Amino acid sequence: MKRCVTLLLLLTACTEAGNPSTAASAPPTNPPTTDAPASPTTVGPTRLDHFVEEASYGPDIVEIYAPSELGDWPVLVLFHGGAWVTGDVRDTANLANELAARGVVVFNASYRTMPEGGSFPGMVDDVACAFGYARSRAGEYTRSEGPIVIGGHSAGAHLSALVALAPDEFGSGCATPMDAPPDGYLGLAGPYDIAGLGGVLAPFFGVEQSEDPDVWSRGNPIARTSEAAIPMLLIHGTADELVPVTVAEAFADALTAAGDPPRLEIIEGENHGGAAEPVIVNDLVLDFLASLSPG
């Protein structure tokens, strides 16, 4: 138990320390009134240069970052980390902004954390709802019909992996339901096997693992790899002090055994936060998205 609590505190501290100061939340702006994306907007010191608008998909907010011109852009629906108890769109704003600068439409989304009432399966439903909302809006920012990829960093990688693996199971009550599964999955330093987290995730599930192993299994990506059917890119650092690289390697092995080998990129010497740093991952993400693009 002590080890689990320590991990939770470390994950939280890592997220808070990594918040970029240039992407704090602001009141929602009006959505674009044409089929083309609005001109890149900088709202005081709180937005980055490819930010277009902030909107609500229902339970929480989503920021949209897009290239300055309409084109055949891939789409990424991105979720922050924060150990399921903290974090927001500021944590992944720099990554969203830099990907938009290189031709990706990014829906940088949040979800209800545990202090905000989030739990299982509702927190995963939030992620599915955000993805459904992004798919419904994607045509305003890209002429391409795909790919539309889901993914996230740390806890966001865990939650979005569940949607990628079992898209029909989550999000049935969304205002804008998912009308199709994701075309791919991006995992950045994800905890894909949560069986060993014990007391950390008991509040998330509302029950200890020993009391209801079935519900823990439903919320554990590595236990659901037989359901995978989409391309996946997993990025992990060898110096990750919070989620060991062996977790990503075991997840990749399980996916491969199930017949769906992912692309696993191990970054030598990189830590947990580095897996969400644009300078570290942008080229890998862009190459992955290009491999999924039609034509």
Side-chain angles (χ1 to χ4, degrees), residues 11-134:
L11 284 165
T12 303
C14 179
T15 300
E16 290 175 345
N19 281 353
S21 61
T22 55
S25 298
T29 57
N30 292 328
T33 57
T34 68
D35 290 337
S39 298
T41 304
T42 300
V43 183
T46 63
R47 300 295 186 188
L48 304 181
D49 53 356
H50 287 275
F51 168 77
V52 178
E53 67 165 303
E54 179 185 287
S56 170
Y57 67 86
D60 218 308
I61 67 167
V62 57
E63 293 184 331
I64 303 171
Y65 291 80
S68 56
E69 298 180 358
L70 191 65
D72 295 322
W73 315 124
V75 177
L76 172 64
V77 190
L78 181 65
F79 297 89
H80 61 83
W84 303 273
V85 298
T86 186
D88 57 39
V89 291
R90 292 175 294 179
D91 301 331
T92 38
N94 280 331
L95 179 58
N97 187 70
E98 293 301 318
L99 286 171
R102 298 181 65 179
V104 181
V105 177
V106 183
F107 288 79
N108 184 34
S110 191
Y111 47 86
R112 291 172 293 182
T113 59
M114 282 193 273
E116 296 168 329
S119 61
F120 183 82
M123 204 182 295
V124 190
D125 290 332
D126 287 355
V127 169
C129 291
F131 182 83
Y133 176 83

Side-chain angles (χ1 to χ4, degrees), residues 199-288:
V200 170
L201 284 183
F204 174 75
F205 288 106
V207 64
E208 295 287 348
Q209 185 174 2
S210 60
E211 297 172 351
D212 195 341
D214 289 341
V215 73
W216 277 70
S217 182
R218 282 183 58 214
N220 194 3
I222 202 168
R224 312 201 64 165
T225 51
S226 63
E227 302 171 67
I230 62 173
M232 293 189 172
L233 170 62
L234 312 177
I235 301 176
H236 220 104
T238 60
D240 192 321
E241 70 283 18
L242 303 178
V243 181
V245 68
T246 52
V247 173
E249 292 170 335
F251 187 50
D253 288 345
L255 288 165
T256 300
D260 295 289
R263 176 177 170 183
L264 175 62
E265 295 287 349
I266 303 299
I267 311 299
E268 188 67 33
E270 198 52 66
N271 62 18
H272 189 70
E277 286 295 328
V279 68
I280 302 297
V281 303
N282 264 4
D283 287 346
L284 294 172
V285 174
L286 291 168
D287 183 66
F288 176 64

